[in-house]
Amino acid sequence: MTISPARSPPCAPPPATPSPPDASPDAGVDIDAGSLADAASEPDASQPDHPCAVADLVINEIQTGGSSGTDEFIELRNRCAGAVELTGARLVYRSANASGASDTTTLAILGGTLAAGGYLVAAGGGFAGNAQVRPLASGLSASAGAVGLRDSAGALVDSVGWGATSNPLVEGTAAAAPPAGRSIARSADSADSNQNAADFTVDPSPSAGAAN
């Protein structure tokens, strides 16, 4: 009997070597070069888009009297995203029909800085709340008058008149005169359309140093 030599099993083909992944940075991702450029150029929203200055402040709320004639205050708000240097800025007052070139009086000369979104309260001697500036150099008429904010160069930044007032500090039509213990205040976002009667309403709960 003839014995045939055993056959070796066929060699299995070597396992396929997987192709290396595509190492290019845009593999599988559709990248719009234009979008990347736009994103890179977007400003940081946490930073102001201009140097913050006194011009970014508004007169935000005014109380002309309360428990006494000097229970009064003027509140400023910084609407800028950065601090504002106040040195040399001043609050001024005009009586109802003071139409001349000069303000009736300077109520307070300001200094220091006001933080982004912050409030500054300038108050009369009879005001019981917290105030950064006191007392005012003179009182505010409860029935009619106007207050202005001027920068260090004397330029008028913002102003508010109330009651039967007709002078250069009134923006548009004067706001209503607030009763004792109440204030005239802007909306919560401190909007300013340069129309006192539209921007200010009588507030039964004055909130000096806080949002209206």
Side-chain angles (χ1 to χ4, degrees), residues 56-69:
D56 292 296
L57 308 184
V58 291
I59 298 172
N60 203 50
E61 186 176 10
I62 298 173
Q63 177 176 298
T64 59
S67 59
S68 70

Side-chain angles (χ1 to χ4, degrees), residues 89-162:
R90 62 188 188 271
L91 288 169
V92 298
Y93 174 76
R94 283 189 182 229
S95 55
N97 299 309
S99 59
S102 301
D103 300 317
T104 303
T105 187
T106 295
L107 296 171
I109 297 176
L110 308 179
T113 58
L114 184 56
Y119 299 86
L120 179 145
V121 177
F127 179 65
N130 293 324
Q132 291 74 38
V133 178
R134 75 164 82 222
L136 297 174
S138 69
L140 308 177
S141 170
S143 60
V147 167
L149 172 65
R150 296 189 182 278
D151 64 18
S152 58
L156 186 63
V157 169
D158 192 30
S159 57
V160 182
W162 61 89

Side-chain angles (χ1 to χ4, degrees), residues 22-212:
D22 187 349
S24 62
D26 58 349
V29 180
D30 183 12
I31 297 179
D32 183 346
S35 297
L36 285 177
D38 290 343
S41 64
E42 288 181 2
D44 183 351
S46 67
Q47 299 298 319
D49 59 3
H50 64 277
C52 296
V54 173
D56 292 296
L57 308 184
V58 291
I59 298 172
N60 203 50
E61 186 176 10
I62 298 173
Q63 177 176 298
T64 59
S67 59
S68 70
T70 59
D71 182 9
E72 53 195 3
F73 70 82
I74 302 163
E75 176 193 83
L76 303 180
R77 185 183 183 192
N78 176 10
R79 300 190 300 172
C80 196
V84 169
E85 174 60 51
L86 301 175
T87 301
R90 62 188 188 271
L91 288 169
V92 298
Y93 174 76
R94 283 189 182 229
S95 55
N97 299 309
S99 59
S102 301
D103 300 317
T104 303
T105 187
T106 295
L107 296 171
I109 297 176
L110 308 179
T113 58
L114 184 56
Y119 299 86
L120 179 145
V121 177
F127 179 65
N130 293 324
Q132 291 74 38
V133 178
R134 75 164 82 222
L136 297 174
S138 69
L140 308 177
S141 170
S143 60
V147 167
L149 172 65
R150 296 189 182 278
D151 64 18
S152 58
L156 186 63
V157 169
D158 192 30
S159 57
V160 182
W162 61 89
T165 296
S166 176
N167 66 46
L169 296 186
V170 177
E171 295 181 348
T173 302
R182 299 190 177 193
S183 67
I184 49 173
R186 292 187 189 274
S187 59
D189 62 357
S190 302
D192 183 8
S193 69
N194 295 322
Q195 292 289 330
N196 293 161
D199 292 337
F200 286 84
T201 57
V202 174
D203 191 334
S205 301
S207 55
N212 297 335

